Amino acid sequence: VRTVYVIGIGSGDPDHLTLQAVAALKRVDVVFVIDKGEVKEDLTALRTGILDRHLEPGSYRVVEAADPERDRGAGAGEAGRSERYTAAVVDWQDRRGSLYASMLAELADGETGAFLVWGDPSLYDGTLRLLEGVEGIEVVSYPGISSVQALAAAHKIPINRIGESVLITTGRKLADGFPDHADSVVVMLDGQCAFNTVDPDTKIYWGAYLGTDDEILVSGRLGDVAQEIERVRREARDRKGWIMDTYLLRKPRKD
Ligand SMILES: C[S@@+](CC[C@H](N)C(=O)[O-])C[C@H]1O[C@@H](n2cnc3c(N)ncnc32)[C@H](O)[C@@H]1O
């Protein structure tokens, strides 16, 4: 049998790696690396740093492949759930699926391979879903510190208010309106500053490059800090060439 680990490596701080993940890494024969382009070379540096720190040089092979191009224009700017957007993502994931299959062919019977996944494999990451359909492998998932936990720790806040619910969603979804049944909403994958569409009395806890030396935090009433976040975000993205940010929105109390 061939074993494939999906290992969450945390969201920026190499110390986010759990002891369980380190032990798993040490059992790995092959590390699968999907190259997402030079723009996010800091991310590649984190992954390389983790491997160098925990594994003996020469004790594992690296199988690398370039991430298939995704049609990011499809459905962009259309309100809500767009069929064209979904079709573009599905098509991209299909091509990624074929890529995974060809990478896995490099794994011999009895060997163990690993995909190192940003944050936690359970949150907005396609790796587990893509491996689900692959025959002849046994998949094991190792949790990591997601950007959601890193955000809460950086702001020193709990994610939920006492007895209330939390919703994790995307900027695209938030643009449809603040969800009715959630008191706290965590927003990921927001390139459009969708927080501008919600009640200015909402409280925001925003963080970019969480867990890294470049971490930036801003919090406050949206009406007071939204413009500052947009400015800081734009400047940081221009300086580094990419940005990853996440935020928590807390519904204003009616009482
Ligand atoms: C494709 S998702 C992957 C999420 C990841 N699996 C996790 O557990 O955090 C990428 C999104 O995660 C968030 N993110 C990941 N790392 C981050 C970081 N270091 N700082 C801020 N946001 C981050 C951003 O919202 C980004 O758009």
Side-chain angles (χ1 to χ4, degrees):
V1 74
R2 298 176 301 157
T3 306
V4 179
Y5 293 162
V6 181
I7 303 179
I9 59 167
S11 344
D13 185 338
D15 284 351
H16 280 169
L17 209 63
T18 68
L19 296 176
Q20 188 190 37
V22 172
L25 263 184
K26 291 184 190 294
R27 296 192 292 270
V28 158
D29 303 294
V30 178
V31 175
F32 297 110
V33 175
I34 310 258
D35 180 4
K36 300 193 176 182
E38 285 177 4
V39 175
K40 294 194 177 169
E41 64 192 18
D42 303 38
L43 312 192
T44 313
L46 175 80
R47 197 171 45 210
T48 312
I50 284 176
L51 293 174
D52 290 350
R53 178 164 154 194
H54 298 290
L55 300 184
E56 291 298 324
S59 67
Y60 61 98
R61 316 194 294 281
V62 175
V63 172
E64 207 166 343
D67 206 13
E69 282 285 321
R70 174 169 154 194
D71 180 6
R72 287 186 183 273
E78 291 170 22
R81 185 198 299 257
S82 144
E83 281 174 20
R84 280 180 57 218
Y85 172 80
T86 309
V89 172
V90 168
D91 169 64
W92 172 64
Q93 292 199 340
D94 280 353
R95 281 182 288 132
R96 261 192 151 184
S98 322
L99 176 76
Y100 277 38
S102 61
M103 291 174 94
L104 289 169
E106 304 286 329
L107 198 62
D109 195 34
E111 282 193 324
T112 299
F115 288 93
L116 308 191
V117 166
W118 195 251
D120 183 78
S122 70
L123 260 184
Y124 292 107
D125 186 274
T127 311
L128 286 171
R129 195 173 35 244
L130 283 168
L131 292 175
E132 213 175 54
V134 180
E135 284 179 12
I137 60 166
E138 190 173 320
V139 176
V140 186
S141 178
Y142 293 98
I145 301 294
S146 78
S147 51
V148 179
Q149 291 152 298
L151 176 78
H155 282 286
K156 307 178 188 81
I157 51 163
I159 296 279
N160 63 294
R161 275 201 286 226
I162 299 173
E164 298 289 346
S165 50
V166 176
L167 183 86
I168 302 177
T169 190
T170 63
R172 184 175 274 267
K173 290 271 185 197
L174 182 71
D176 291 343
F178 197 99
D180 279 345
H181 300 293
D183 175 73
S184 302
V185 174
V186 178
V187 183
M188 306 171 79
L189 294 158
D190 181 10
Q192 308 297 324
C193 296
F195 49 77
N196 281 319
T197 61
V198 306
D199 181 343
D201 280 330
T202 306
K203 181 124 198 234
I204 186 168
Y205 298 89
W206 178 83
Y209 314 109
L210 292 158
T212 75
D213 292 343
D214 298 314
E215 180 173 282
I216 314 172
L217 302 174
V218 178
S219 63
R221 189 184 152 269
L222 256 181
D224 299 328
V225 298
Q227 282 190 348
E228 180 192 346
I229 294 174
E230 280 201 88
R231 179 183 53 77
V232 169
R233 194 180 184 283
R234 194 172 45 245
E235 284 172 5
R237 197 191 46 209
D238 289 350
R239 190 171 62 245
K240 282 180 70 74
W242 61 277
I243 187 157
M244 282 215 290
D245 58 337
T246 305
Y247 53 90
L248 170 69
L249 297 175
R250 203 84 95 190
K251 206 179 219 169
R253 287 223 188 261
K254 292 288 174 235
D255 38 88

